[in-house]
Amino acid sequence: MGRTPCCDKSGLKKGPWTAEEDLKLTNYIQVHGPGNWRTLPKNAGLQRCGKSCRLRWTNYLRPDIRRGRFSFEEEETIIQLHGILGNKWSAIAGQLPGRTDNEIKNYWNTHIRKRLLRNGIDPVTHAPRLDLLDLSSIISSTLCNQSLLNVSNLLGTQALLNPQLLSLANTLLSLKQENPEMLMQYLHQNQLNLDPSLQAPIASVCTTTSTVPCCTSMLSQTGLIQATGEGFFSSDKTNFSYPNSQENLTNLTNEFAAQPHYVQCSTNPTVPILSETSKFQSMDGSFDSVRSSAISSPTPLNSSSTFVNSSSTDDERESFSSLLKFEIPEGLDINDFM
DNA sequence: AAATTCCTCAACCGCACTGAC
DNA sequence: CGTCAGTGCGGTTGAGGAATT
């Protein structure tokens, strides 16, 4: 379909609405109801295009608009829904009565997005920005807090900056445990294509003595880690407190990836086993498949125990956003990394 | 106190979709 | 089937207020 020509721009007013215009529009809609936006401005005596009228009504004048600061519950819902739906602001707004897509979009871009970035979380993928994370803490979490490996030392500083190296480290560690000979063969086959600066640290993986705990193997087999910046998530189920949102969210959730299963590790981390359908969709550092479990997984986003009222400040909400979630793919070809 | 920078958010723009003809 | 009007949606802009220098 061809693009709809915008309404006749000649003589039409743009910019902020005046109180008089608001009154005209409100009065007209109260009498005739919304709709037929193209003819509405003329009938209402407004020098505006229908689009502008519709926007003004839906985003500002509608009586059921809920104005004011977003509550923590609303913010929580927005983040979780964004994890599933992405920038589907209207769909997200549908779960937040009284909030408009425009308002949610603005709030996301001006508040939530920035905070996620500050806390090292990619606001697009909801995955941690691994270029900012300390790889050793990730691996340590992977190993159920058994700090048997100092991966930072193993891989050098570059490892802290490259999510692909994280995957590589995982692959190598798994290979080392399960089949050292295959590991050596693997390295031999791929070493020619490695960045020389990475060869030494990677090789050290092969020579470092370590005992690989149970979770390492599980990690490599499942291909997924779920952790916070400071440790693993609790296994508490996500609980939406916003009215009517839970059922709707449940419905939404059912449309997405299968519910992951959870295995309790010795030191109380909860490690979900990703379904076999999970996939590593991007090699450029984005982990899109994380989205699929944003709701269904027992994320710690139910942090009502920490923040109990809607007047919490942005800073107060900071710690909530420090939660991290990411996947590590298995079976990555080393050639794809470099 | 003035100038500058930063931040917020209402409003606009343009594309996409749907249904009527 | 193609065209067009109506509408919805997401991305972007810019005015104005707040904060900082």
Side-chain angles (χ1 to χ4, degrees), chain A residues 286-321:
Chain A
S286 63
F287 298 80
D288 291 348
S289 57
V290 167
R291 289 183 182 186
S292 66
S293 59
I295 288 293
S296 57
S297 62
T299 71
L301 295 179
N302 173 30
S303 49
S304 57
S305 59
T306 305
F307 307 111
V308 296
N309 62 49
S310 62
S311 63
S312 58
T313 65
D314 284 354
D315 287 341
E316 286 173 325
R317 302 179 190 193
E318 288 273 346
S319 62
F320 151 65
S321 297

Side-chain angles (χ1 to χ4, degrees), chain A residues 144 214-215 218 222 232 235 260-266 268-273:
Chain A
C144 302
C214 63
C215 288
M218 183 172 65
T222 62
F232 282 80
S235 59
H261 307 291
Y262 292 86
V263 176
Q264 201 73 16
C265 287
S266 58
N268 197 32
T270 303
V271 181
I273 300 176

Side-chain angles (χ1 to χ4, degrees), chain A residues 11-235:
Chain A
L12 293 182
K13 189 181 174 192
K14 292 170 65 175
W17 281 63
T18 65
E20 183 184 3
E21 287 176 312
D22 283 347
L23 190 62
K24 280 184 179 178
L25 180 58
T26 303
N27 287 340
Y28 181 86
I29 290 178
Q30 280 175 349
V31 173
H32 300 93
N36 200 359
W37 297 107
R38 199 174 183 85
T39 58
L40 184 149
K42 184 180 177 182
N43 295 336
L46 290 163
Q47 298 298 312
R48 297 271 182 174
C49 77
K51 221 173 184 179
S52 180
C53 293
R54 177 175 57 84
L55 216 59
R56 183 65 177 173
W57 174 256
T58 56
N59 286 341
Y60 198 85
L61 297 175
R62 234 173 50 201
D64 58 335
I65 292 283
R66 182 180 179 181
R67 310 206 70 81
R69 188 187 179 86
F70 280 77
S71 69
F72 176 76
E73 288 78 13
E74 288 176 307
E75 183 173 323
E76 190 174 329
T77 303
I78 291 170
I79 292 173
Q80 299 226 19
L81 285 172
H82 188 273
I84 296 175
L85 302 168
N87 294 355
K88 302 294 183 188
W89 306 117
S90 61
I92 295 172
Q95 304 298 322
L96 295 171
R99 300 295 189 181
T100 68
D101 53 356
N102 205 40
E103 193 177 14
I104 292 170
K105 179 174 59 182
N106 284 332
Y107 188 70
W108 176 270
N109 288 329
T110 58
H111 293 88
I112 301 175
R113 184 177 175 276
K114 288 180 182 177
R115 194 161 57 253
L116 292 179
L117 284 171
R118 270 204 305 275
N119 286 289
I121 296 175
D122 187 326
V124 177
T125 63
H126 290 239
R129 298 175 62 196
L130 291 174
D131 56 330
L132 301 177
L133 294 175
D134 183 341
L135 181 61
S136 64
S137 68
I138 296 169
I139 297 298
S140 293
S141 296
T142 303
L143 303 180
C144 302
N145 296 325
Q146 299 178 37
S147 302
L148 299 175
L149 292 173
N150 185 338
V151 182
S152 288
N153 291 340
L154 292 177
L155 298 181
T157 55
Q158 289 194 46
L160 308 182
L161 305 176
N162 192 335
Q164 293 167 345
L165 272 178
L166 177 62
S167 303
L168 174 59
N170 176 52
T171 301
L172 295 178
L173 287 169
S174 303
L175 272 177
K176 187 190 179 200
Q177 179 206 8
E178 294 164 8
N179 194 335
E181 290 183 3
M182 186 182 296
L183 169 63
M184 296 309 295
Q185 184 180 356
Y186 181 82
L187 285 172
H188 179 74
Q189 288 173 348
N190 291 285
Q191 201 163 16
L192 291 177
N193 296 325
L194 277 177
D195 183 330
S197 65
L198 299 177
Q199 291 180 7
I202 288 173
S204 70
V205 172
C206 311
T207 58
T208 302
T209 301
S210 67
T211 302
V212 182
C214 63
C215 288
T216 305
S217 176
M218 183 172 65
L219 164 72
S220 66
Q221 290 162 9
T222 62
L224 186 146
I225 304 170
Q226 184 172 352
T228 70
E230 300 173 353
F232 282 80
F233 291 167
S234 75
S235 59

